[in-house]
Amino acid sequence: MHAAAPVATAAPVGADTLAGSSPAVRQALDASHQVWLGPLRLDCGVELARFRVAYRTYGTLNVERSNAALVCHALTLDQFVADEHPVTGKPGWWDTLVGPGQPLDPARYFVICANVLGGCMGSTGPLDVDPATGKPYNLSFPVVTIADMVRAQAMLLDHLGIESLFCVVGGSMGGMQVLQWAAAYPKRVFAAIPIATAARHSAQNIAFNEIGRQAILADPGWHGGDYHAHGTLPARGLAVARMIAHITYLSEAALQRKFGRNLQDRTAVGFGFDADFQVESYLRHQGKSFVERFDADSYLYITRAMDYFDLAAEHGGNLANAFKGTPTRFCLMSFTSDWLFPTHESRTVVRALNAVAANVSFVEVETDKGHDAFLLDEPEMYRTLAGFLQGAANARGLKFPA
Amino acid sequence: MNARQRDKIRVDLQRIADMIEPDTRVLDVGCGDGALLAYLLREKGVDGRGMELSQAGVNACVAGGLSVVQGDADADLAHYPDGAFDFVVLSQTLQATRAPGEVLRQMLRVGKRAIVSFPNFAHWQVRASLMFGGRMPRTDALPFGWHDTPNIHLCSIDDFRAHCADTGVVVERALTLDRHGKPLGGPALSLANLFGAQGLFLLRQG
């Protein structure tokens, strides 16, 4: 096997692993708050009697309980939005948004970020033990939806005693949750910021997810989802899924700018199937490092949740119905080179919001960085977010310490 | 907008603001840098929204805390529901739309009242420029060359009045502004079409 290629490693099968919790999950839980909630009736009809939510908070809830900001994470991210990740050691994935001097400054806001239901950083997901059988759920975990994830978050807020959020913000799948929040709990959301997202997953996006899932399912280490019991991991399949997905997060221009046809550690092509090109080596690295932090079954479940998301379908086929009479202030944002959630997806939501005369702002940011731009250094994005948040804070009458 | 700029909106925008009642719902179509919206929010407590063609303008408005979407009057007014606003403002933009008649119709559908201002193509300077100079007019209100002007549907104040009469639109107020945006005083209404650099109309559907 090539050095840069993902390596299938047998997970140590200790008692804790049999209990359904991997070392990564334990590390994540040690660095998070956690709460058991329930029962929760899922869209698929199954009732989860109890489920755990792992979450991080930053800042302090004010006396009026009016300054809470919920950050919803994307497919493969988690609750560590603004501090070092306990598993990867990397800085918070959105510390450009949440942090001192940033638009969501913990000195002003009480910021909450929870691992989604079905996730693999501490919230209940396929890795966990099914109380009915005493064995890990794996593929017997019920299929969850974006709406289920949001219901779980709403129950977390009930637990925290927060009736109304100042804002809900998220990109990509996080943006789907923001839209779901605004549609399902309009009175609990003062301001909603769906970024680089859509009101439904497109055929092309479902197609890419399906390829990723098929790569996992085809890995002999997957064992019908019971890989921990077999002491294997579908590392190759998960890595391929990540490699495909990663391409969709970038843009042709960004790939060309970053890699072109540059060769990796060699002066000529090798007439073989090693990673001759830098872009190949880069993708192999992306796949390999992803496997170290993410669970394959969880990947199946969460991509499925995105595929099932169709806000209009839940409202008689008319997206505007999802937002009828909404009191929420919206700020949508898209990026010119994002081909996974292109600008027209945001525009569809803006039109639906205009159709109910909602308070809506929409900003398109010029960039060649593709879908991932929302996580990167895009000064225009943060400038407009800061302005929108300040305007919303004024409208809510939030007072901040000097 | 900082404190020093307060109360310093353009004179013609001030005239528009004067027509808008406090605590109403306002849509500013072609809101530019958001100067009028910011003023209305601050001074009149309106629930204000904006639509702007240029993305740079939109982003600046949103960064300033205003609720603004990218869009154009021709295509996007149609997405709003009937009677969603008390006032729909179209300042110095009507002449740049593809279908001004339809834009006006949509404004009066979406809003209970519409406020429209536009450069008067029958202003004496315009007339003189064409009549004596033989060249396409360039004035303060019409600063562009013939080849690069966005103004594709110019009209005179009398043209506009006639259009309103033809389409059953009631003119509640009409102001004639000079080239600085100041209202022309006196009983000069009959001469408005000759001396007014801009027309400013408060309209409702009859």
Side-chain angles (χ1 to χ4, degrees):
Chain A
M1 191 171 283
H2 187 272
V7 182
T9 48
V13 185
D16 290 333
T17 305
L18 282 176
S21 196
S22 72
V25 172
R26 284 195 302 279
Q27 276 176 287
L29 280 171
D30 284 345
S32 308
H33 301 291
Q34 54 172 302
V35 59
W36 284 92
L37 302 166
L40 170 58
R41 182 112 187 141
L42 302 170
D43 278 337
C44 67
V46 173
E47 186 174 277
L48 280 182
R50 289 175 82 227
F51 63 96
R52 185 177 55 213
V53 178
Y55 64 100
R56 287 284 295 122
T57 68
Y58 310 83
T60 315
L61 190 62
N62 63 11
V63 178
E64 300 81 20
R65 298 177 172 262
S66 59
N67 68 334
L70 179 70
V71 179
C72 300
H73 70 73
L75 169 58
T76 66
L77 295 168
D78 47 47
Q79 65 271 36
F80 301 103
V81 60
D83 48 6
E84 187 182 288
H85 198 283
V87 178
T88 65
K90 287 190 174 163
W93 56 268
W94 223 357
D95 60 2
T96 42
L97 176 73
V98 180
Q102 312 294 15
L104 281 178
D105 190 333
R108 296 179 148 205
Y109 302 104
F110 180 58
V111 181
I112 307 154
C113 186
N115 189 209
V116 294
L117 191 65
C120 55
M121 279 296 155
S123 290
T124 294
L127 280 172
D128 279 277
V129 168
D130 179 355
T133 63
K135 288 181 180 166
Y137 283 105
N138 297 335
L139 276 217
S140 70
F141 191 70
V143 168
V144 296
T145 62
I146 299 292
D148 292 329
M149 294 174 180
V150 166
R151 285 184 194 108
Q153 290 162 2
M155 290 167 79
L156 171 64
L157 292 189
D158 293 342
H159 164 75
L160 295 172
I162 295 165
E163 174 53 34
S164 155
L165 287 161
F166 166 64
C167 76
V168 187
V169 55
S172 196
M173 187 185 84
M176 290 177 167
Q177 293 164 65
V178 174
L179 293 173
Q180 179 66 34
W181 257 104
Y185 304 100
K187 288 180 185 153
R188 298 188 78 167
V189 181
F190 187 77
I193 310 175
I195 301 174
T197 193
R200 93 272 185 273
H201 223 206
S202 68
Q204 178 170 276
N205 289 1
I206 295 170
F208 278 120
N209 273 353
E210 172 60 2
I211 299 170
R213 284 189 296 264
Q214 285 300 329
I216 293 168
L217 268 49
D219 190 314
W222 183 60
H223 291 292
D226 291 332
Y227 38 89
H228 286 299
H230 287 80
T232 60
L233 278 180
R236 196 73 200 241
L238 182 58
V240 170
R242 177 62 170 179
M243 289 163 81
I244 297 157
H246 197 79
I247 299 168
T248 69
Y249 303 154
L250 306 175
S251 70
E252 196 210 354
L255 278 174
Q256 197 61 34
R257 171 168 53 76
K258 234 169 158 174
F259 306 107
R261 292 181 51 80
N262 297 342
L263 299 178
Q264 178 71 23
D265 300 332
R266 64 199 68 190
T267 52
V269 295
F271 294 96
F273 298 99
D274 273 0
D276 277 352
F277 294 97
Q278 278 180 9
V279 67
E280 293 174 292
S281 172
Y282 170 78
L283 279 181
R284 289 181 186 194
H285 171 75
Q286 289 296 328
K288 183 168 180 281
S289 56
F290 184 61
V291 169
E292 288 162 7
R293 70 177 175 90
F294 213 86
D295 174 62
D297 282 348
S298 200
Y299 194 85
L300 299 178
Y301 279 90
I302 301 179
T303 54
R304 207 63 181 142
M306 292 181 81
D307 292 350
Y308 281 1
F309 187 60
D310 186 348
L311 202 49
E314 287 172 33
H315 293 85
N318 184 353
L319 187 57
N321 288 344
F323 304 114
K324 212 164 216 162
T326 181
T328 304
R329 306 160 73 92
F330 289 82
C331 180
L332 287 95
M333 205 171 282
S334 71
F335 300 90
T336 50
S337 55
D338 184 349
W339 58 285
L340 194 62
F341 291 93
T343 287
H344 70 77
E345 299 278 12
S346 289
R347 228 179 259 289
T348 299
V349 179
V350 170
R351 290 214 180 95
L353 288 166
N354 280 341
V356 295
N359 187 325
V360 53
S361 294
F362 168 51
V363 162
E364 184 186 37
V365 175
E366 176 99 30
T367 174
D368 79 345
K369 291 175 189 157
H371 182 60
D372 259 356
F374 83 91
L375 296 168
L376 303 173
D377 180 29
E378 290 289 347
E380 181 140 32
M381 166 182 158
Y382 296 104
R383 198 161 48 240
T384 45
L385 274 182
F388 173 77
L389 286 168
Q390 185 60 58
N394 293 346
R396 192 164 164 96
L398 289 186
K399 299 270 184 287
F400 301 119
Chain B
M1 187 172 285
N2 64 38
R4 270 184 214 167
Q5 289 170 286
R6 282 193 176 188
D7 304 327
K8 281 197 175 179
I9 55 170
R10 258 174 25 216
V11 186
D12 59 320
L13 295 182
Q14 183 65 55
R15 296 287 87 78
I16 292 173
D18 292 345
M19 290 179 168
I20 292 173
E21 291 152 28
D23 304 314
T24 51
R25 292 164 302 161
V26 179
L27 175 65
D28 186 357
V29 183
C31 61
D33 64 0
L36 175 65
L37 265 183
Y39 177 88
L40 290 172
L41 243 67
R42 198 173 61 235
E43 304 294 331
K44 300 222 171 184
V46 303
D47 179 2
R49 320 283 170 74
M51 184 195 288
E52 166 60 29
L53 192 56
S54 106
Q55 193 62 57
V58 174
N59 296 12
C61 286
V62 178
L66 303 172
S67 299
V68 175
V69 295
Q70 199 272 336
D72 84 272
D74 282 298
D76 292 307
L77 275 172
H79 299 298
Y80 291 88
D82 296 354
F85 297 95
D86 298 302
F87 295 94
V88 179
V89 178
L90 188 69
S91 159
Q92 302 292 332
T93 305
L94 186 69
Q95 75 283 355
T97 62
R98 281 193 300 280
E102 176 61 13
V103 168
L104 270 177
R105 200 184 68 76
Q106 290 287 353
M107 287 176 73
L108 287 162
R109 178 187 66 78
V110 168
K112 297 194 179 103
R113 286 184 168 70
I115 299 174
V116 181
S117 73
F118 57 87
N120 174 25
F121 205 68
H123 186 250
W124 66 268
Q125 281 182 321
V126 174
R127 299 188 196 199
S129 167
L130 199 56
M131 187 166 194
F132 301 114
R135 302 283 299 273
M136 284 299 283
R138 288 178 91 151
T139 65
D140 289 344
L142 296 164
F144 302 100
W146 64 271
H147 52 88
D148 63 359
T149 181
N151 300 326
I152 52 175
H153 283 115
L154 289 155
C155 68
S156 71
I157 288 175
D158 284 357
D159 284 330
F160 188 79
R161 283 184 177 282
H163 178 78
C164 290
D166 290 348
T167 51
V169 172
V170 178
V171 176
E172 289 199 345
R173 279 189 77 189
L175 285 178
T176 311
L177 308 181
D178 69 12
R179 64 198 187 93
H180 303 296
K182 288 187 182 138
L184 293 177
L189 207 58
S190 56
L191 295 173
N193 203 41
L194 184 56
F195 291 109
Q198 299 176 42
L200 172 57
F201 288 79
L202 175 63
L203 310 168
R204 70 176 158 81
Q205 192 61 55

